[in-house]
Amino acid sequence: TTTTTTTTTTTPEITSSPSSPLVYDLPPQIHLLSFQQRYGPQHSTIIRLMHVYEKGEGEGNVSLDIQNMFPGMNIKKITLMSLTGNIPLDMMKAQRLQWRYNTTTPNKKKDGLHLDNTTTTITLAPMEIVTLLINADPIV
């Protein structure tokens, strides 16, 4: 008997849901946990994304271009926020208590999360959850 294996690659498909501002499907590893629009002087949106695969499962880190999620918007700024979305992540880390260790090598967790400040691309590691505050203006 002969076994034939085929490999298919998927590209983001355009969806047409009138209730969602998202136009493209997310990669299968990424799940949109929440989406909250805020209206006021600065139009902003808070989204929470989760990489649903475990370490060693699938392809590992996944990069995602946030601008592709909002093609009708001009993204001015993306800010990494705490999980609750009430404080920027860098401010929270600066205010965190520094513990003294009795060992010579403290156990430091390295963040897999990376946000490129020159583009709108974010990279998530397996089992990582991120909260983003997105400031954007509609493209006219």
Side-chain angles (χ1 to χ4, degrees), residues 21-131:
L22 301 180
V23 176
Y24 289 101
D25 289 340
L26 295 172
Q29 306 93 322
I30 304 297
H31 178 74
L32 179 65
L33 293 174
S34 65
F35 182 94
Q36 178 185 10
Q37 290 184 317
R38 295 180 174 182
Y39 298 99
Q42 292 184 341
H43 179 78
S44 62
T45 304
I46 289 184
I47 62 171
R48 284 181 189 83
L49 301 168
M50 177 182 181
H51 190 305
V52 295
Y53 288 2
E54 292 184 21
K55 189 174 182 177
E57 180 182 22
E59 299 175 10
N61 293 353
V62 176
S63 293
L64 178 68
D65 188 353
I66 303 299
Q67 182 63 61
N68 288 343
M69 294 173 66
F70 304 95
M73 304 295 281
N74 179 27
I75 294 180
K76 297 186 298 186
K77 184 178 179 185
I78 299 174
T79 307
L80 292 170
M81 302 294 284
S82 66
L83 189 58
T84 57
N86 62 345
I87 186 171
L89 191 61
D90 56 351
M91 185 183 297
M92 184 185 80
K93 286 183 177 182
Q95 295 175 357
R96 186 178 289 168
L97 290 175
Q98 300 297 318
W99 297 96
R100 295 184 205 164
Y101 294 93
N102 290 332
T103 65
T104 56
T105 56
N107 184 12
K108 291 187 179 180
K109 179 184 177 286
K110 183 181 176 189
D111 283 335
L113 181 66
H114 176 70
L115 176 64
D116 186 346
N117 291 327
T118 60
T119 66
T120 56
T121 302
I122 187 165
T123 303
L124 279 88
M127 298 303 293
E128 193 162 40
I129 299 174
V130 62
T131 303

